[in-house]
Amino acid sequence: MTRVREGTYVDGRQWRTTIAAAQAGDRRALDELVEGWLPLVYNIVGRALNGHADVDDVVQETMLRAVDNLGSLRDPDSFRSWLVAIAMRQIRDRARRRTSESLAEDAAHDAADFAELTVLRLQLEGQRREVAEAVRWLDDEDRQLLSLWWLEVAGELTRRELASALGISRQHTAVRVQRMKARLETARGIVRALDSSCGELREVTARWDGQPDSVWRKRLARHIRDCRQCSGRHEKVVPAERLLVGLALVPVPVGFTLSLVFGGKTAVAATTAATTVGWSAKIVGALTKPAVAVTAGATMAAGGAYVVTQPPDSPPPRVAAPTAASTTRPSPSPTPTPTPSPTRRASLYGTVVDGVDRAPDPNARPAELPRRPESGITSTGGPRAVMQHRGNNVTLSGQGYVLVRWQISPHDRPGGLTMPTWTGLSGKLFHVASGGGRRMDDAGGTRPGYATGMGGPDVGFTVLPEGTQQMWQNEYFYVDGTVTFNVNERGASYGVAVSPTDWEAVNKDINTGPDQGAIRYGLTRDNGKDTAPVPQYVTRSRPADPATVPQRSQVRT
């Protein structure tokens, strides 16, 4: 029996002493209680709402109510089921407060897909990844049930606690779980089919916007049922419950802030709250005590604000990436008090990652492109490797510039685009420039039916993952070492051509402006130093599935 944040089964009885101490006003015990159980609440709410922007608010409200009512908990052994029931009530209350129309609109703009977060943070592969992605296709009620059932089979909840949280009998719970599992298996079939090469399915999804919903779930399920290729896959399908056994909780994101004093109000407001909402004077005293308690992975500051921080063995935080519209990047601040003995300055390479930028004015000339050493690049794909399917890759070695030329194909299959990744990096890799005459989202597509290079109403649109840097027709990188470029196509169709190039060709491309008939000048991203940006999706490791490389990776020396 260990703490819940470590992803293993935690019995509320193990917390009896801590809960009792927190109820008596022990600040350290309250800190430990909140920090220990926050991941469980975060996973339940995050999966039930599929990462919607309201997740933070619902988690906040759940923990606030738990702290507020902690004094009314008579049996500490039932703390976990009591906390889970509070979380489910907040999830249902949130659904009642908002209309389905506003939820759909908000989700399209604000959702940080919890399924993708689960895949990336837990490094899921194969059929485990498939289960996580299938969650997107479930309706709200099924997702709420799955958020609890997932934790049951992972060993974090018992069936009794699951039923208690739902407010129904264990027999009724069993029926609902079986029905949900059947719909989950249908959703898994859809995920598998979308990864296949079925031509008929591509025609069916030609006008799909890439957002899972009940209408498209029924259409795709109907196709799969009638399609010999999509329904006759010979891969053995492992039951979902076997895949989820022992699976860890998704870590609470670094920087997640949980304020237990009414949305971040001051400690004075908390004291006032004692008379308005009936808070225990001992708990209010603990929250308002002017102290800062630091625990593994969370900091509790005065006023009851918990901020999730990186544990001591985590890599240091990334330096904030400057906008790509500027080619000057600030140098790190000097050490305020130099040490008497000389110290080795840590390398900044890999701490500056591509950030989303605004397209510069078409007539804005690029900054000067720095020259980096060029001894030549060798490519396993030859002078020009054309890659159009998932699993295609090319390994680049040497010292010099590389062109990645994009071709988006929403007429073939629109929807969400899974970005290419750079794996097995040995040495350094920089994103140095963008060109080719246009960004892919520039208005004025050159092909019939296209509004931009990302598609149009007639052919559908290709959509990038949230927070991904918009690519240009030509993207230029500088390699000093060895790295493998991987195509991870699933969902939206795209192709890339990768070829070694040189400084002269890059400089000419980005300076070919509108007066030569192009849409815009290019953009220089390189500053000639190690503080130049690295691609968002790069790692020194060689994962079995290259698509699992996290966005905004850190590749320190």
Side-chain angles (χ1 to χ4, degrees):
M1 299 290 184
T2 55
R3 300 179 71 180
V4 71
R5 65 181 177 84
E6 296 172 337
T8 53
Y9 184 94
V10 180
D11 193 327
R13 287 172 295 189
Q14 302 296 313
W15 290 79
R16 171 181 285 275
T17 302
T18 304
I19 294 168
Q23 288 176 318
D26 185 322
R27 171 64 176 273
R28 189 179 297 275
L30 183 64
D31 183 17
E32 184 178 357
L33 192 66
V34 173
E35 188 264 331
W37 290 92
L38 177 61
L40 182 70
V41 172
Y42 173 74
N43 274 255
I44 291 172
V45 176
R47 194 159 284 117
L49 302 185
N50 194 31
H52 189 276
D54 283 351
V55 166
D56 289 8
D57 290 342
V58 176
V59 172
Q60 175 104 257
E61 186 66 21
T62 298
M63 299 306 291
L64 175 61
R65 288 180 179 272
V67 170
D68 181 13
N69 294 285
L70 188 59
S72 66
L73 178 65
R74 295 183 178 181
D75 181 10
D77 292 349
S78 63
F79 175 80
R80 182 170 56 180
S81 58
W82 176 77
L83 179 63
V84 172
I86 293 174
M88 295 306 295
R89 282 198 297 272
Q90 297 312 307
I91 291 168
R92 297 190 192 102
D93 286 349
R94 172 261 191 190
R96 284 193 291 268
R97 288 194 304 265
R98 310 187 64 157
T99 65
S100 59
E101 290 78 15
S102 65
L103 288 179
E105 182 180 356
D106 289 349
H109 295 89
D110 299 326
D113 194 331
F114 201 83
E116 190 66 21
L117 182 64
T118 301
V119 169
L120 294 179
R121 297 298 296 273
L122 300 185
Q123 294 291 291
L124 303 188
E125 299 176 1
Q127 292 191 35
R128 276 186 164 181
R129 179 188 182 105
E130 173 190 283
V131 172
E133 294 180 344
V135 175
R136 299 185 181 113
W137 290 94
L138 298 180
D139 293 331
D140 289 349
E141 187 173 319
D142 279 337
R143 269 204 307 271
Q144 292 174 20
L145 175 57
L146 180 131
S147 71
L148 300 177
W149 178 74
W150 183 301
L151 295 177
E152 179 194 10
V153 296
E156 303 288 351
L157 293 179
T158 66
R159 174 56 60 92
R160 178 183 62 81
E161 290 166 334
L162 192 158
S164 176
L166 296 175
I168 58 179
S169 67
R170 294 182 63 176
Q171 291 77 9
H172 189 190
T173 298
V175 173
R176 285 193 55 187
V177 167
Q178 284 303 117
R179 291 173 179 170
M180 180 275 296
K181 285 169 57 179
R183 287 186 281 266
L184 178 64
E185 290 305 316
T186 297
R188 291 178 65 188
I190 292 173
V191 173
R192 286 194 300 272
L194 289 175
D195 273 347
S196 73
S197 58
C198 175
E200 292 183 8
L201 183 60
R202 291 196 174 195
E203 293 181 7
V204 171
T205 58
R207 295 185 180 275
W208 177 43
D209 65 0
Q211 297 297 322
D213 58 39
S214 58
V215 174
W216 277 101
R217 183 184 66 223
K218 293 174 183 177
R219 289 179 183 175
L220 297 177
R222 186 162 54 246
H223 165 81
I224 294 170
R225 186 170 57 250
D226 298 335
C227 175
R228 180 174 301 178
Q229 178 176 347
C230 292
S231 63
R233 292 171 66 88
H234 299 295
E235 179 183 1
K236 182 179 179 181
V237 179
V238 180
E241 51 263 50
R242 286 177 54 190
L243 296 170
L244 303 181
V245 170
L247 198 62
L249 296 174
V250 175
V252 180
V254 172
F256 179 93
T257 301
L258 177 66
S259 174
L260 296 183
V261 186
F262 293 105
K265 294 183 180 179
T266 64
V268 174
T271 305
T272 304
T275 59
T276 58
V277 297
W279 276 28
S280 161
K282 292 180 179 179
I283 293 178
V284 171
L287 286 174
T288 57
K289 187 177 180 180
V292 176
V294 180
T295 58
T299 300
M300 183 176 183
Y306 289 76
V307 180
V308 176
T309 60
Q310 290 176 312
D313 56 350
S314 294
R318 281 186 293 272
V319 176
T323 60
S326 169
T327 57
T328 60
R329 289 169 172 80
S331 300
S333 302
T335 305
T337 305
T339 55
S341 58
T343 57
R344 181 180 179 184
R345 189 171 183 176
S347 171
L348 291 178
Y349 172 69
T351 62
V352 179
V353 186
D354 264 345
V356 177
D357 65 356
R358 293 184 178 181
D361 185 281
N363 295 309
R365 285 188 172 274
E368 182 178 353
L369 179 68
R371 278 186 178 269
R372 292 182 180 268
E374 297 179 74
S375 59
I377 293 289
T378 59
S379 167
T380 56
R384 188 170 185 266
V386 179
M387 296 179 285
Q388 297 178 324
H389 303 289
R390 184 183 184 194
N392 292 161
N393 63 71
V394 59
T395 298
L396 306 160
S397 302
Q399 189 181 58
Y401 295 90
V402 173
L403 164 63
V404 176
R405 183 172 176 83
W406 280 87
Q407 181 64 59
I408 305 295
S409 307
H411 66 282
D412 182 21
R413 185 164 67 192
L417 185 147
T418 302
M419 294 295 289
T421 54
W422 305 82
T423 61
L425 173 63
S426 174
K428 298 180 180 180
L429 173 68
F430 298 97
H431 185 190
V432 298
S434 301
R438 64 168 176 165
R439 278 175 41 131
M440 298 303 290
D441 62 345
D442 275 329
T446 58
R447 302 170 64 183
Y450 281 64
T452 74
M454 304 294 286
D458 295 338
V459 298
F461 287 94
T462 295
V463 181
L464 297 181
E466 184 177 357
T468 300
Q469 170 67 50
Q470 174 68 52
M471 78 286 289
W472 294 43
Q473 183 79 65
N474 292 342
E475 293 289 358
Y476 294 98
F477 301 86
Y478 179 82
V479 177
D480 186 359
T482 300
V483 69
T484 298
F485 180 89
N486 307 273
V487 173
N488 299 311
E489 182 188 70
R490 61 194 306 162
S493 293
Y494 68 92
V496 289
V498 179
S499 55
T501 185
D502 54 38
W503 183 92
E504 284 76 13
V506 179
N507 194 54
K508 179 180 179 181
D509 184 3
I510 63 177
N511 282 286
T512 301
D515 57 331
Q516 281 88 28
I519 295 175
R520 63 164 68 250
Y521 288 104
L523 180 68
T524 296
R525 303 183 187 276
D526 193 5
N527 63 2
K529 304 175 183 178
D530 274 0
T531 50
V534 301
Q536 286 186 319
Y537 298 84
V538 59
T539 180
R540 295 193 184 280
S541 66
R542 300 178 183 274
D545 182 359
T548 61
V549 174
Q551 186 177 345
R552 294 186 61 79
S553 305
Q554 202 173 43
V555 286
R556 299 180 67 84
T557 52

